[in-house]
Amino acid sequence: MLLLAVRCVVNAGFYSAYSAFAARMDALDVIANNLANASTSGFKAQHEFYRSFSAWLQPSLTTPINQAVNRFGVLGGSHLDLSQGTIEPTGNDTDVALEGTGFFAVLTKNGVRYTRDGSFRLDKSRNLITDQGDQVLSQQPNNRNQPIQIPSGKLNISPDGSVSVDGALVAKLRIEDFPPETQLVQEGNSYLIAPDGAGKPPASSSVQQGALEKSNSDPIRTTVGLIDLQRTAQIMERALSIFHNEFNRTAAQDLPKV
């Protein structure tokens, strides 16, 4: 009976250490991606969160101590941090930054995507495109997908997103915002996928020409978090080794002598 009790505690401890180790390893991927994109224009960091998972127990075993040792911490997921990044001037007329809410709409081969990265340029046909070569969309009735073609001349982009050349209005940047509960999914380093029809005009946004919004991932804080996660993962790895080797040896060799 004593051997069985010890093995139950060992197993619970092993699973608890393993779930903590696995959760930290998954979180390392999230933080490493934030650190890798600390200099990516318009990048929005992901922040991990954890939740408690309780293993199923037979009714006869649902004592407070059994419930405690069979409750494990797992990675619950991550949430997108949409806080404003620092806006820095570039002097490039086709660069634009958004101050406030909202996203630029662009047309990719996979459909419409949204971005805060306004490092735009002109292609050979003078279409306004992203660094990835995708077309920047103009504001149209019913959100019809219409790219922006820029004639030769002096380009000016107003705070409301109006695009003009030599004083003549050419188009207006399509800028959309989303309710707080909208599920936005990252695609690559700077694009977001949003549900169809979820977009609406931003309540508060201003376009700055000749500037870019920097990543909102703080490299110093992210590096500290990365080191902390690595240390915690190492502790959990050590705990796994103890449970697997030393406790099992005690259960197998010493307890039968009791």
Side-chain angles (χ1 to χ4, degrees), residues 9-240:
V9 172
V10 170
N11 287 340
F14 183 87
Y15 292 140
S16 180
Y18 175 77
S19 65
F21 175 75
R24 268 61 185 186
M25 293 303 293
D26 290 340
L28 278 172
D29 291 338
V30 175
I31 292 187
N33 186 59
N34 290 342
L35 187 60
N37 287 283
S39 59
T40 300
S41 298
F43 177 79
K44 298 303 178 186
Q46 293 272 0
H47 297 302
E48 76 281 3
F49 62 90
Y50 300 89
R51 62 181 177 86
S52 176
F53 171 76
S54 296
W56 181 86
L57 295 172
Q58 293 182 3
S60 61
L61 298 177
T62 55
T63 62
I65 189 169
N66 275 341
Q67 289 178 338
V69 299
N70 285 280
R71 183 175 294 117
F72 312 126
V74 297
L75 186 67
S78 60
H79 64 86
L80 192 63
D81 179 5
L82 296 179
S83 62
Q84 178 81 48
T86 303
I87 294 179
E88 295 185 358
T90 65
N92 187 349
D93 285 346
T94 57
D95 284 343
V96 287
L98 270 176
E99 185 174 12
T101 61
F103 302 86
F104 300 113
V106 301
L107 184 62
T108 74
K109 62 181 181 180
N110 296 318
V112 177
R113 298 293 184 262
Y114 300 91
T115 185
R116 296 277 296 195
D117 182 4
S119 51
F120 301 151
R121 56 188 174 87
L122 299 178
D123 64 11
K124 294 180 179 180
S125 300
R126 299 191 63 82
N127 290 309
L128 193 63
I129 61 174
T130 67
D131 263 350
Q132 291 89 341
D134 299 313
Q135 294 178 327
V136 180
L137 294 176
S138 64
Q139 182 176 303
Q140 296 290 325
N142 300 319
N143 283 340
R144 180 169 54 90
N145 296 331
Q146 178 66 43
I148 299 174
Q149 191 173 48
I150 308 294
S152 298
K154 176 60 178 176
L155 174 65
N156 182 71
I157 302 177
S158 302
D160 68 351
S162 296
V163 180
S164 58
V165 174
D166 293 337
L169 182 64
V170 174
K172 187 174 183 180
L173 294 170
R174 178 173 158 185
I175 302 171
E176 296 186 38
D177 196 11
F178 304 93
E181 67 277 6
T182 305
Q183 286 292 109
L184 300 175
V185 179
Q186 280 187 321
E187 183 179 76
N189 296 329
S190 58
Y191 284 169
L192 295 174
I193 305 172
D196 291 340
K200 62 178 183 179
S204 175
S205 68
S206 177
V207 178
Q208 293 190 29
Q209 185 181 16
L212 289 175
E213 180 186 6
K214 309 304 290 183
S215 168
N216 69 353
S217 176
D218 184 337
I220 297 177
R221 182 175 299 177
T222 303
T223 301
V224 172
L226 188 65
I227 294 172
D228 181 63
L229 271 177
Q230 287 175 329
R231 289 176 176 173
T232 304
Q234 289 170 354
I235 292 172
M236 293 301 104
E237 189 176 21
R238 174 59 180 159
L240 284 170

